[in-house]
Amino acid sequence: MRKKAFINMQLLDGSENMASRPGYAVLTEEDKIVAVAPEREVDVKDCEVFDLKGGYLMPGLINLHVHIPSDGKPQKKAVDARKMVKFATSNMLTCKYLEHIYKKNVYTELLSGVTTLRCVGGIENYDTWIRETVRYGKIPGPRILAANMAISVPGGHMAGSLAYEASTIEEAVRYVHNISRDKPDLIKLMITGGVLDAAVKGEPGVLKMPPAMVKAACEEAHKLGYHVAAHAESTEGVQVALENGVDTIEHGASPTAEIIRLFKERGAAHVATISPALPYALFDPSVSRVDEMSRSNGKIVFDGIIECAKQCLANGIPVGLGTDTGCPFVTHYDMWREVQYFHKCCGVSKAYALYTATKRNAEILGLGDVTGSIETGKSADFIVTEENPLVDLTVLRNLSMVVARGSVISNPKIKKMPEVEAELDKYVRSHLRDDAEDDESTDSAV
């Protein structure tokens, strides 16, 4: 690959208090950034030059919570995930189609500006398969951190589809070893149920996995060198997860003082996923196609995720962002919406929301020295917008360029779902628009 020079642009570097810096240039060689400096100081001789025409260059987005095989298309009726997975892996033809789905969905993530993603529950070992397929340049895609199958319990969240069913502590430990054979990047536990698993109104996220099983699985995963992510959607579930060794809380719930203490003691992070809860909580049931119990429970989870993020931020606990793509109305091209939701629902500045979706997410993954910011020596992972996302985050939905590990995609085009776009955009227009009340004084603080 030739050297590349990206000139005539405004730089957003990914730092916590980033501001646009005009007149900068970024030079790359192969997959690395080799210079970031004022354009007048940069020698572009022998470079392939990309004139960004005054556009805004920032780090590529990082999505911490993805289920690759699902696309987020709303279903008219409930789907038996267990049966779908069994069919998808039943013969050579369906397995080839499953490979096609994986390739298509990770490419969609890339076209939307996601240059790194973390899979947290997939079909068999397809997550590590697609990771290696991208890593060795067979197809274009984001950098992928893969979990493969999660570990659940009989009757637990995603049991039998995207998660193994462990009936005993010994079986849970054995599954950790089984998953490790494909060299994943993390282990995922399904500690509580979810909105659609709930049997009672007002009790979403019921604890499913016994604390002793959580502890044994975490200890074994840590011995093997893996971090553990946990699906937890209740206060009880979050506490059990943290008490027994989990490293990241996925989703979350309203925290107690004890939970905040445990976050700090464990050095754990919260991965907020506002996108999947929002349709359940706020859409008309005729649109979301859920019953009143699920709508009520969805609102509890929605509020709990936001409250967990707010309290973690207030206490200096790392908060990251992920979409939980695969849930209804959560697509592989809408990471920008999660950034916008974080800004509006959690009250952070636009700069901080962008920092969270880039540098902070990279740090949570342990990749802070690899990607997440525009700095010399880091991976050439960045996106370009025509307008300034520090003024309006919705400009992230239409990118003029994506660069992943040095490879350039100009004017990326994505096939979108009109029904999903229409419903989500109604919410953006009515609740999340950036208007006059979003002044500098409001928007300067975390």
Side-chain angles (χ1 to χ4, degrees):
M1 296 171 63
R2 295 173 57 193
K3 288 184 179 179
K4 298 181 177 71
F6 301 85
I7 64 168
N8 188 15
M9 53 87 169
Q10 307 220 30
L11 177 68
L12 304 176
D13 62 11
S15 59
E16 184 174 339
N17 297 304
M18 73 183 90
S20 61
R21 289 188 277 170
Y24 265 70
V26 173
L27 268 60
T28 68
E29 185 172 1
E30 295 186 346
D31 62 344
K32 292 288 191 297
I33 296 171
V34 295
V36 181
E39 193 173 319
R40 64 182 179 274
E41 299 175 9
V42 172
D43 182 5
V44 300
K45 188 176 72 172
D46 299 326
C47 292
E48 181 180 5
V49 177
F50 293 85
D51 184 344
L52 302 184
K53 300 177 181 177
Y56 294 78
L57 183 149
M58 61 169 280
L61 301 175
I62 298 174
N63 191 342
L64 293 190
H65 195 112
V66 178
H67 302 283
I68 296 175
S70 303
D71 61 11
K73 184 176 181 179
Q75 302 295 326
K76 293 183 179 180
K77 59 181 180 179
V79 175
D80 188 326
R82 188 189 295 252
K83 285 184 179 179
M84 285 187 66
V85 169
K86 185 176 181 180
F87 173 74
T89 56
S90 61
N91 60 67
M92 186 178 296
L93 184 61
T94 57
C95 286
K96 281 294 180 185
Y97 184 69
L98 184 57
E99 290 179 5
H100 165 73
I101 293 297
Y102 263 77
K103 291 176 181 178
K104 177 174 73 74
N105 289 346
V106 299
Y107 189 51
T108 298
E109 290 271 353
L110 179 63
L111 293 177
S112 74
V114 172
T115 54
T116 299
L117 65 82
R118 182 178 67 149
C119 315
V120 284
I123 296 175
E124 295 184 347
N125 64 348
Y126 280 84
D127 285 0
T128 49
W129 168 80
I130 195 70
R131 179 193 67 190
E132 297 306 291
T133 301
V134 171
R135 177 181 288 172
Y136 289 107
K138 295 179 181 178
I139 63 165
R143 176 186 294 101
I144 294 172
L145 280 76
N148 286 336
M149 294 278 282
I151 301 172
S152 189
V153 295
H157 194 61
M158 304 308 293
S161 57
L162 304 186
Y164 295 116
E165 297 176 280
S167 299
T168 65
I169 291 174
E170 293 74 21
E171 200 168 12
V173 170
R174 189 161 64 249
Y175 280 132
V176 171
H177 278 274
N178 289 349
I179 295 165
S180 73
R181 290 173 187 162
D182 290 300
K183 294 181 170 45
D185 299 285
L186 70 152
I187 299 294
K188 173 75 178 295
L189 303 180
M190 302 294 193
I191 290 178
T192 75
V195 172
L196 298 184
D197 300 325
V200 179
K201 185 176 180 179
E203 294 184 5
V206 171
L207 183 66
K208 298 282 188 177
M209 186 174 285
M213 185 181 288
V214 177
K215 182 178 177 64
C218 286
E219 287 179 348
E220 203 61 31
H222 291 154
K223 284 179 188 176
L224 296 171
Y226 297 114
H227 278 197
V228 180
H231 170 102
E233 292 189 352
S234 67
T235 300
E236 180 186 20
V238 172
Q239 180 156 335
V240 166
L242 292 171
E243 284 175 338
N244 292 285
V246 162
D247 299 289
T248 60
I249 297 295
E250 312 294 312
H251 315 302
S254 295
T256 61
E258 175 64 7
I259 283 174
I260 295 299
R261 186 190 70 78
L262 287 167
F263 263 116
K264 292 180 177 180
E265 182 181 279
R266 282 279 312 132
H270 172 223
V271 177
T273 56
I274 300 170
S275 295
L278 187 146
Y280 290 129
L282 303 178
F283 281 12
D284 188 287
S286 66
V287 174
S288 60
R289 298 165 187 156
V290 298
D291 58 25
E292 178 54 34
M293 183 179 76
S294 295
R295 187 172 190 266
S296 176
N297 287 338
K299 184 67 164 62
I300 292 171
V301 171
F302 178 73
D303 291 342
I305 291 169
I306 292 169
E307 184 60 24
C308 192
K310 285 181 173 180
Q311 290 203 34
C312 283
L313 289 170
N315 285 277
I317 295 161
V319 175
L321 297 179
T323 57
D324 202 3
T325 294
C327 291
F329 292 96
V330 189
T331 75
H332 283 288
Y333 54 79
D334 270 347
M335 180 62 186
W336 75 268
R337 292 189 191 272
E338 186 69 25
V339 180
Q340 175 80 335
Y341 298 159
F342 187 54
H343 161 54
K344 284 294 187 177
C345 298
C346 297
V348 304
S349 70
K350 298 184 192 78
Y352 195 87
L354 292 173
Y355 154 74
T356 302
T358 55
K359 189 175 183 179
R360 190 52 146 169
N361 274 359
E363 290 168 347
I364 289 171
L365 292 179
L367 296 176
D369 60 343
V370 174
T371 189
S373 58
I374 308 301
E375 298 178 74
T376 300
K378 288 196 175 182
S379 181
D381 300 330
F382 45 86
I383 57 178
V384 180
T385 59
E386 291 183 4
E387 304 296 329
N388 189 353
L390 291 177
V391 174
D392 180 3
L393 289 169
T394 67
V395 304
L396 293 171
R397 74 189 302 175
N398 295 307
L399 304 178
S400 53
M401 181 178 289
V402 176
V403 179
R405 298 177 304 288
S407 295
V408 176
I409 302 173
S410 296
N411 300 310
K413 303 298 180 188
I414 299 170
K415 185 177 180 181
K416 299 185 177 181
M417 303 177 199
E419 176 189 1
V420 171
E421 292 291 286
E423 294 301 333
L424 291 175
D425 283 353
K426 287 179 188 176
Y427 187 77
V428 169
R429 286 193 296 271
S430 62
H431 296 280
L432 299 180
R433 65 185 184 278
D434 289 298
D435 50 29
E437 69 181 10
D438 236 9
D439 58 25
E440 273 306 310
S441 61
T442 302
D443 205 42
S444 62
V446 172

